[in-house]
Amino acid sequence: CQATSASHHPRTRAARSHRMMRIACMRLNPSSGLRLLPRHLGECRASLHSSTVCLHGEFEWQDPISPDEVVRVNVVARDGGQYTINGKIGDNLLYLAHRHQKDNPALALEGSCEASLACSTCHVIVSQDYIDLLPEPKEEEDDMLDLASCLTSTSRLGCQIILSKELDGITITLPAYSRNYYVDGHVPEPH
């Protein structure tokens, strides 16, 4: 076994090189991730990886590409007013409401947990004609619905309703009020 000084040891050299590469890359682009891919004999080569930024509900802010994708949603607001909003196949009902509530505050759905199934502030009442077209709720959704105000047999969480062509013309009713159990009273703003 040969004795080598710490500064000339291959592993130490590689570790120093790794550190220097990481610092250099982070200075170039702090938001990118750096992965080191091992090579033979203790050498390393760097590989940069970055992901595109995707915001919650970003898909719902895009208009349908073709008329075949349009899904009409009829909303009965808390004040009794009736409104029709156009979504598209694949839209999440909560984020679609966020998109349209800037123009019409009567369509406001809170969604304080931002669709993580940790609240019931996006509770909606689905019309009897359409409730059977929705998939069965997950256990987590049922648990959150137990906390919802104004619960009915056709209650669902808006964040769990994904629009499909079969739901074209669906009518949802916003309950008279909702309770926000969020500790600090956080009310998220649509992105």
Side-chain angles (χ1 to χ4, degrees):
C1 185
Q2 285 185 315
T4 59
S5 69
S7 64
H8 291 39
H9 191 277
R11 281 198 165 158
T12 306
R13 233 182 0 248
R16 188 178 315 118
S17 175
H18 170 111
R19 248 188 337 268
M20 290 171 61
M21 181 69 78
R22 179 179 298 252
I23 291 167
C25 289
M26 294 310 276
R27 283 184 184 152
L28 290 174
N29 186 358
S31 65
S32 69
L34 174 69
R35 278 190 300 164
L36 290 179
L37 303 173
R39 253 173 127 185
H40 65 288
L41 302 176
E43 296 176 24
C44 292
R45 69 173 190 235
S47 168
L48 294 176
H49 175 303
S50 63
S51 300
T52 56
V53 176
C54 187
L55 303 174
H56 288 289
E58 187 174 290
F59 178 76
E60 286 73 12
W61 288 85
Q62 300 168 10
D63 290 324
I65 295 171
S66 74
D68 295 337
E69 288 187 334
V70 173
V71 179
R72 291 170 296 121
V73 179
N74 301 306
V75 181
V76 179
R78 290 177 174 85
D79 63 5
Q82 297 185 13
Y83 307 92
T84 300
I85 57 177
N86 287 330
K88 65 181 172 307
I89 296 170
D91 278 352
N92 176 303
L93 184 61
L94 170 64
Y95 295 132
L96 182 65
H98 282 181
R99 176 183 182 181
H100 291 280
Q101 78 186 25
K102 286 191 177 219
D103 296 330
N104 188 348
L107 300 175
L109 266 183
E110 187 175 336
S112 65
C113 73
E114 299 188 34
S116 65
L117 280 173
C119 76
S120 61
T121 59
C122 65
H123 166 228
V124 297
I125 301 164
V126 179
S127 63
Q128 191 67 47
D129 300 340
Y130 287 88
I131 193 69
D132 292 332
L133 298 176
L134 296 173
E136 288 295 315
K138 297 178 186 173
E139 183 178 350
E140 295 89 351
E141 182 181 358
D142 276 337
D143 290 345
M144 290 299 107
L145 282 169
D146 288 341
L147 303 173
S149 309
C150 310
L151 193 65
T152 71
S153 61
T154 61
S155 290
R156 293 298 298 267
L157 295 182
C159 67
Q160 299 302 300
I161 297 175
I162 306 300
L163 299 182
S164 64
K165 200 59 179 172
E166 294 78 33
L167 296 177
D168 188 37
I170 188 173
T171 299
I172 61 157
T173 303
L174 303 181
Y177 63 95
S178 67
R179 289 186 212 130
N180 183 346
Y181 292 103
Y182 207 98
V183 175
D184 64 2
H186 169 73
V187 177
E189 288 294 318
H191 302 287

